[in-house]
């Protein structure tokens, strides 16, 4: 009896209060859940051209991939050129501060890249960039 | 002593947060791993006729042509992609307020376009307009 009480009290005294840590961890959790849902990925993989002067875009959330064959991928599915404009219009209404990055394969044709960029502009987002990779990265 | 006993009683009825914390930490680790942190690397590029391109249009443009087969023409001469920078530096020294207009054939590869745009930016001009021809 005595030993039990002694042991119990010792744990009480030295145990860490987990509640503030739990609050903090939950905040982190919410932060990461929100972050993951912000980026609209393309759903495909492309080979990027390398360039030395590329810049990080802070709000490049909407990604549009163009494959060498001319397929356009956006929001995890393949889309037609004419579908881009309504999709961009919808995204622009949902979050007006978003910008678009066109991720074109280095073997894709410039004609389709130009058309995609025009469609994005017509959809209301003027901030369009062309993605590249850092050399060796 | 009595107070302390009372305190202990409250501890016993409180919910043990440790298993919940374990679970939440696992969730946290999962979301950290799946979060896409790689910010996109990109160039800003204008299109002909866009509002942002008008500043360049007012004063004129250094025109760079990209042919269907990847040949790059600057100032009526074929140049290597790596020589674009020197040409842009020379031409922009003559016309400091000019932008660069890259006119690419619509079947030219995007890799060449990005290579040229990179060289132009290294040459010190960041106002790049990108147009296509048939």
């Amino acid at each position: 009896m005595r030993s039990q009480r002694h042991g119990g009290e010792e744990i009480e005294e030295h145990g860490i209060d987990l509640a503030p840590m739990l609050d903090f961890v939950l905040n982190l959790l919410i932060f990461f859940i929100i972050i993951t849902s912000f980026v609209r990925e393309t759903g495909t993989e492309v080979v990027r051209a390398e360039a030395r002067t590329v810049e990080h875009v802070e709000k490049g959330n909407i990604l549009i991939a163009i494959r060498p064959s001319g397929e356009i991928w956006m929001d995890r599915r393949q889309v037609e050129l004419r579908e881009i404009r309504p999709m961009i219009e919808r995204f622009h209404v949902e979050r007006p501060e978003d910008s678009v990055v066109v991720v074109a394969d280095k073997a894709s044709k410039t004609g389709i890249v130009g058309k995609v960029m025009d469609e994005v502009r017509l959809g209301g987002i003027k901030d369009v960039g062309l993605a590249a990779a850092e050399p060796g990265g | 002593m009595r107070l302390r006993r009372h305190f202990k009683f409250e501890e016993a009825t409180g919910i043990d947060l440790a298993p919940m914390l374990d679970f939440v930490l696992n969730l946290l680790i999962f979301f950290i791993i799946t979060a896409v942190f790689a910010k996109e690397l990109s160039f800003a590029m204008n299109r002909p006729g866009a509002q942002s391109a008008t500043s360049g249009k007012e004063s004129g443009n250094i025109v760079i042509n990209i042919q269907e087969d990847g040949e790059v023409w600057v100032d009526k001469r074929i140049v290597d992609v790596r020589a674009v920078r020197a040409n842009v530096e020379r031409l922009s020294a003559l016309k400091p307020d000019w932008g660069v207009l890259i006119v690419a054939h619509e079947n030219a590869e995007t890799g060449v376009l990005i290579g040229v745009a990179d060289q132009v930016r290294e040459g010190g001009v960041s106002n790049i307009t990108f147009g296509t021809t048939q």
Side-chain angles (χ1 to χ4, degrees):
Chain A
M1 189 66 193
R2 197 169 174 254
S3 71
Q4 196 171 352
R5 188 187 259 181
H6 182 72
E9 260 189 31
E10 190 124 66
I11 289 165
E12 290 295 333
E13 294 285 325
H14 296 280
I16 302 159
D17 184 13
L18 293 175
M21 183 188 171
L22 189 60
D23 291 349
F24 174 70
V25 167
L26 269 171
N27 272 324
L28 272 178
L29 182 66
I30 291 160
F31 169 77
F32 280 105
I33 289 171
I34 290 168
I35 286 289
T36 46
S37 62
F38 264 16
V39 180
R40 292 192 191 274
E41 293 201 61
T42 60
T44 186
E45 201 59 46
V46 296
V47 183
R48 286 150 202 249
E50 290 182 352
R52 267 176 288 181
T53 59
V54 283
E55 290 164 359
H56 286 276
V57 275
E58 288 301 317
K59 282 179 261 166
N61 292 328
I62 303 166
L63 306 180
I64 303 174
I66 299 166
R67 296 192 44 84
S69 56
E71 289 170 16
I72 303 160
W73 284 73
M74 189 177 169
D75 211 11
R76 293 171 206 267
R77 67 188 181 90
Q78 196 188 335
V79 297
E80 296 291 322
L81 186 65
R82 62 175 189 279
E83 286 180 72
I84 294 175
R85 195 167 152 187
M87 283 174 88
I88 291 293
E89 278 169 358
R90 183 160 51 83
F91 296 159
H92 189 55
V93 168
E94 282 172 15
R95 277 204 307 278
E97 73 276 11
D98 280 4
S99 69
V100 174
V101 175
V102 177
V103 189
D105 194 285
K106 66 178 178 183
S108 63
K109 308 285 183 230
T110 55
I112 190 85
V113 176
K115 281 177 195 155
V116 168
M117 287 171 85
D118 284 345
E119 286 294 316
V120 171
R121 265 180 214 288
L122 288 169
I125 298 181
K126 306 293 174 207
D127 195 359
V128 191
L130 196 54
E134 274 177 310
Chain B
M1 196 62 197
R2 214 172 158 232
L3 259 174
R4 177 166 281 201
R5 270 237 178 107
H6 185 68
F7 178 67
K8 260 177 80 174
F9 180 71
E10 275 209 340
E11 279 293 307
T13 50
I15 303 160
D16 185 12
L17 292 175
M20 182 188 170
L21 189 60
D22 292 349
F23 173 71
V24 167
L25 268 172
N26 274 323
L27 270 179
L28 180 66
I29 291 161
F30 170 76
F31 279 107
I32 288 174
I33 290 166
T34 54
V36 183
F37 266 119
K39 291 257 170 66
E40 277 304 315
L41 295 156
S42 81
F43 298 118
M45 242 190 241
N46 300 320
R47 288 286 288 165
Q51 288 287 315
S52 48
T54 48
S55 58
K57 280 239 171 103
E58 296 283 325
S59 50
N61 282 312
I62 300 164
V63 181
I64 300 173
N65 268 288
I66 300 170
Q67 302 289 318
E68 194 173 0
D69 52 6
E71 278 177 1
V72 182
W73 287 69
V74 187
D75 209 16
K76 294 172 192 135
R77 284 181 297 118
I78 298 179
V79 296
D80 190 86
V81 174
R82 286 162 292 178
V84 170
R85 178 185 173 175
N87 279 286
V88 167
E89 278 174 351
R90 180 171 57 80
L91 292 167
S92 70
L94 300 170
K95 307 279 183 188
D97 53 343
W98 279 24
V100 168
L101 173 64
I102 301 173
V103 181
H105 189 279
E106 65 170 7
N107 288 333
E109 287 186 354
T110 310
V112 179
L113 171 71
I114 290 170
V116 170
D118 189 30
Q119 288 282 315
V120 170
R121 286 168 62 92
E122 280 198 70
V125 183
S126 55
N127 182 8
I128 305 172
T129 307
F130 150 59
T132 48
T133 55
Q134 300 203 327

